[in-house]
Amino acid sequence: MFRYHLFNKIVLLIVVMLIPVVLLYSYSNKMATDVVVNELNRSSSNQLAFFQSQVNTSIDELSSWPILLIHDPDIESFEDQYLDSEYLNLDLINQVKRIQNKLSIQESSSNWRSNLSLYSPSMKRMITEGNARSYDKSELERANSPGWQVRKVTTGNSERYLFSWYTVSPYSAKDAVKNASSIIKIEFDSTNIQDMLDKFKSNGRRDPFYYKPGTGTIYNRTADLTRSNELLTQLDFTQIKDVDYRTVELGEDVYSVHMVLSPATGWYLIDYIPLTDVLAPIKQSNQLFYGAVACLLFMSFLAAYLLYVQVQIPVRDLMRGFQRLKRGDYTVRLDPKGRNEFSFLSERFNSMVVQIQELFEHVYLEQIQVREARLKQLQSQINPHFFYNCFSFITSMAKLGKMDAVVAMSHNLSRYYRYTTRQEKDLVPMKEEIDFVLSYLKIQKMRMSRLDYVIEIPDEMLEQLVPPLVLQPLIENAVIHGIERSLESGFIRVTGFVEEGMLCLQVEDDGLGLDDEGLDRLRSQLSRPMDEHSGCGLWNVNQRMQLRYGEKSYLSVEKSPMGGFKASIYMDNL
């Protein structure tokens, strides 16, 4: 039972390994399907919008004709004609002929079949391309409505829609029938739109059609009327934008329905694509993949037992040996079984552990000695070069008879020198380092009376152990390169805090500081081995931090909010 229990674990492991593959494939397949659908929707929307713009262009062109004709000289002069009898005189007949000719030319300038009509209220005549007859005022009942007027016309079993546009002169006439001097009507029927829909459908579209709520539908001549009407019943046009699409389910079929509103006529151009047919190859690919996964899972069950006996147990023993070796147990040994690859690995593992144990015993102490020697060497590089200035200050004060200054300088200098020459400790309490820094600052303040400073170290950090001489190079850098070079500067702030588990010490001044280029150059020098062009103090501190605490500990430099330079030490020793 125990062996079969482990066998089941291996099978479960294989299943678990297949789960991410299946999930990743499912996610990838979903992403691919979404991309296909989105690209299809975007392409369909763009093609539909382009087609709608073509229709709108043709309609806008027709609606501009009356505006152009209303300013024609013959038509403008025709507004002022009055009939004394029901018959036209010769001049009027010639003028009517000219107007008819212009109407004919205008109608023939477009591919759309249309009719232009001129109504003259003063003569009670309507002039078209082929006629000049009297008209009834009821014919102009739609002239008072702005925009395109649509009415449905039934001829036998066929239905079509007439679109009419009226232009009135003068434009300020409120009641076109009573007050207009002349009226021009442009009229076309929906067969023009059907022609364009047929042409659009022949380019690979499914079933485009026009629809206006409350008015009717203009289908292409080979439309599936039943399916189109079913789709219309699923759409709520009160929530549809000017350019929009919806996914509609009709039974087992899923359709992507695209809609574009015509601002010229207020009709929606609608087209639909059967997503079920488009995504059928992807669905078939999914079925093949899941079938392959099922076959692979079944074969895994057959191979699991062999994998357990021949591979799993030797690998498990080898992994346990490495884990013990990682924890520092150099007494670990493997028991080779059989004469195969894993027995060879076990023998080599035992040989390797023996060699590592021997090397570790010989080399470890040498590495410790080299590391400590390196730390001592770096620490000894801190050169108290300002001793000469201190002795010069003592000499000057002695000549002037200022013995208090001589005593104070000697006292602080002795404390400074005693601290720098103490090499027996690798770590000192923070309090001792602060006392040493205070001695240095007091010495510098005697030399420069404008120097002022503040040290803000929390009490809980004073007992924290830090490497000796870690703050002095930063303060010395602030004094020499920041304060002494600027007669208007003289303030240094030393702060300490704990941030994200790391001890941080900062020294900043209000001196000259460095520009961005200088900071970049200094950062580059800190990361390189020391050479004759590198400064000693800051480079020394950075190297000591990384040697003692690792790569997470370092020295950073930046501009100070006080206007000068700020150096920050981060130590990962908490």
Side-chain angles (χ1 to χ4, degrees):
M1 292 299 295
F2 179 73
R3 294 179 62 184
Y4 283 103
H5 179 65
L6 292 180
F7 167 78
N8 293 337
K9 287 185 177 180
I10 297 176
V11 172
L12 180 61
L13 177 63
I14 296 173
V15 173
V16 172
M17 292 174 61
L18 287 177
I19 288 177
V21 177
V22 174
L23 292 178
L24 182 60
Y25 175 82
S26 300
Y27 176 76
S28 175
N29 177 72
K30 182 179 180 302
M31 292 293 294
T33 303
D34 292 342
V35 169
V36 171
V37 173
N38 290 336
E39 286 297 317
L40 185 63
N41 288 333
R42 184 180 64 83
S43 175
S44 298
S45 296
N46 290 340
Q47 294 183 33
L48 214 62
F50 179 72
F51 176 77
Q52 183 70 285
S53 67
Q54 290 180 314
V55 175
N56 290 339
T57 300
S58 299
I59 293 176
D60 291 340
E61 180 183 1
L62 295 180
S63 63
S64 66
W65 288 357
I67 299 175
L68 297 174
L69 292 171
I70 206 76
H71 298 292
D72 185 86
D74 289 328
I75 294 177
E76 285 185 337
S77 62
F78 198 68
E79 296 176 357
D80 301 326
Q81 301 294 334
Y82 291 89
L83 285 179
D84 296 330
S85 66
E86 60 177 304
Y87 299 104
L88 302 176
N89 57 39
L90 181 59
D91 292 335
L92 284 177
I93 291 174
N94 290 332
Q95 188 174 7
V96 168
K97 291 294 185 182
R98 290 196 300 273
I99 292 174
Q100 288 178 326
N101 186 44
K102 292 179 179 180
L103 294 178
S104 176
I105 292 174
Q106 194 67 59
E107 290 174 359
S108 62
S109 64
S110 173
N111 293 328
W112 281 31
R113 297 176 297 278
S114 59
N115 297 311
L116 280 166
S117 302
L118 170 64
Y119 292 86
S120 175
S122 62
M123 299 182 63
K124 297 182 180 180
R125 293 272 180 169
M126 180 190 73
I127 301 176
T128 62
E129 177 186 2
N131 196 1
R133 62 175 178 83
S134 300
Y135 69 90
D136 187 357
K137 289 185 178 181
S138 62
E139 295 182 20
L140 298 176
E141 60 182 5
R142 298 176 179 270
N144 288 321
S145 300
W148 286 98
Q149 309 301 314
V150 183
R151 60 190 178 92
K152 187 175 181 181
V153 178
T154 302
T155 304
N157 295 328
S158 63
E159 295 179 350
R160 59 192 181 95
Y161 295 87
L162 289 180
F163 292 77
S164 303
W165 178 283
Y166 295 86
T167 300
V168 180
S169 177
Y171 296 113
S172 60
K174 295 183 178 180
D175 190 337
V177 179
K178 295 180 180 180
N179 303 322
S181 299
S182 62
I183 301 171
I184 297 181
K185 179 181 73 172
I186 177 69
E187 187 176 63
F188 68 92
D189 63 22
S190 57
T191 57
N192 295 288
I193 297 178
Q194 283 184 312
D195 292 340
M196 294 194 71
L197 289 174
D198 292 340
K199 184 178 180 181
F200 189 40
K201 181 177 180 179
S202 66
N203 291 334
R205 308 299 301 173
R206 290 292 298 181
D207 257 340
F209 60 92
Y210 273 91
Y211 174 74
K212 183 176 182 181
T215 302
T217 309
I218 302 175
Y219 299 99
N220 63 79
R221 292 182 175 85
T222 57
D224 186 346
L225 303 183
T226 303
R227 184 51 51 91
S228 299
N229 291 329
E230 289 177 350
L231 290 173
L232 287 176
T233 59
Q234 302 293 323
L235 300 176
D236 183 4
F237 286 88
T238 60
Q239 299 181 357
I240 292 177
K241 303 176 183 178
D242 292 351
V243 179
D244 207 346
Y245 70 89
R246 294 286 188 274
T247 301
V248 178
E249 294 185 9
L250 296 178
E252 297 181 355
D253 297 328
V254 180
Y255 295 89
S256 179
V257 184
H258 299 262
M259 294 144 288
V260 179
L261 178 64
S262 170
T265 62
W267 287 65
Y268 283 95
L269 174 59
I270 303 175
D271 189 20
Y272 60 92
I273 302 172
L275 291 179
T276 306
D277 296 343
V278 175
L279 300 179
I282 298 179
K283 184 177 180 180
Q284 184 179 6
S285 176
N286 292 341
Q287 293 174 347
L288 291 175
F289 172 78
Y290 293 125
V293 170
C295 292
L296 180 61
L297 189 61
F298 177 75
M299 294 174 62
S300 300
F301 293 158
L302 299 179
Y305 181 75
L306 182 61
L307 177 67
Y308 164 74
V309 173
Q310 299 294 330
V311 178
Q312 185 68 24
I313 292 178
V315 169
R316 181 193 61 190
D317 294 340
L318 192 60
M319 290 179 61
R320 289 176 179 176
F322 276 111
Q323 290 294 333
R324 291 178 59 185
L325 184 62
K326 181 180 179 181
R327 292 192 295 266
D329 183 5
Y330 296 99
T331 63
V332 59
R333 298 292 186 271
L334 298 181
D335 184 17
K337 296 180 180 179
R339 301 301 301 173
N340 53 28
E341 293 84 353
F342 288 102
S343 63
F344 176 79
L345 288 177
S346 298
E347 293 173 356
R348 299 286 78 77
F349 175 83
N350 294 336
S351 176
M352 177 189 69
V353 173
V354 172
Q355 295 178 14
I356 290 176
Q357 189 173 11
E358 294 176 354
L359 289 174
F360 182 84
E361 292 174 355
H362 289 85
V363 174
Y364 183 68
L365 292 178
E366 294 181 4
Q367 291 179 342
I368 294 177
Q369 294 172 359
V370 170
R371 183 182 181 91
E372 294 300 323
R374 178 61 174 163
L375 287 172
K376 297 292 185 180
Q377 187 267 337
L378 288 173
Q379 188 172 346
S380 65
Q381 289 179 2
I382 299 178
N383 180 22
H385 57 82
F386 72 104
F387 279 179
Y388 300 107
N389 293 331
C390 293
F391 290 135
S392 177
F393 176 85
I394 292 174
T395 302
S396 299
M397 293 298 102
K399 290 180 179 180
L400 294 175
K402 297 182 179 181
M403 300 308 297
D404 293 340
V406 172
V407 172
M409 174 63 79
S410 300
H411 175 70
N412 287 300
L413 187 60
S414 65
R415 294 182 61 187
Y416 178 90
Y417 186 74
R418 182 168 60 252
Y419 190 86
T420 57
T421 56
R422 186 177 61 186
Q423 302 288 336
E424 70 275 7
K425 292 184 178 180
D426 296 328
L427 297 173
V428 297
M430 178 73 73
K431 185 178 183 304
E432 294 186 13
E433 184 72 8
I434 296 301
D435 292 340
F436 167 67
V437 168
L438 284 172
S439 299
Y440 177 80
L441 288 172
K442 290 177 181 178
I443 292 173
Q444 293 293 3
K445 185 171 180 62
M446 292 179 187
R447 295 180 55 245
M448 294 181 292
S449 59
R450 72 176 189 274
L451 177 64
D452 196 7
Y453 54 87
V454 61
I455 298 179
E456 300 173 345
I457 304 293
D459 294 339
E460 58 270 17
M461 291 180 57
L462 295 179
E463 298 303 322
Q464 180 71 41
L465 296 180
V466 297
L469 301 176
V470 72
L471 271 178
Q472 188 271 345
L474 275 59
I475 297 176
E476 182 179 7
N477 181 79
V479 172
I480 296 175
H481 300 289
I483 305 301
E484 288 187 352
R485 293 167 56 190
S486 174
L487 296 179
E488 298 178 355
S489 304
F491 184 71
I492 295 176
R493 177 186 287 120
V494 181
T495 56
F497 54 90
V498 176
E499 182 180 89
E500 297 181 356
M502 297 188 68
L503 184 68
C504 180
L505 298 174
Q506 292 183 346
V507 177
E508 53 185 327
D509 60 75
D510 61 349
L512 294 179
L514 293 175
D515 56 15
D516 293 337
E517 182 179 354
L519 286 173
D520 292 339
R521 185 166 55 251
L522 178 58
R523 294 187 184 105
S524 176
Q525 291 174 355
L526 291 177
S527 62
R528 297 197 307 264
M530 185 176 178
D531 54 27
E532 66 273 10
H533 302 292
S534 302
C536 176
L538 298 182
W539 184 88
N540 181 289
V541 171
N542 185 57
Q543 291 295 312
R544 290 174 64 197
M545 291 302 100
Q546 295 188 359
L547 278 173
R548 182 170 294 278
Y549 301 114
E551 294 296 330
K552 291 185 178 180
S553 302
Y554 60 93
L555 170 70
S556 70
V557 294
E558 57 188 312
K559 292 182 179 179
S560 171
M562 297 189 301
F565 183 80
K566 179 168 75 172
S568 304
I569 301 174
Y570 293 91
M571 290 179 284
D572 187 18
N573 68 335
L574 296 180

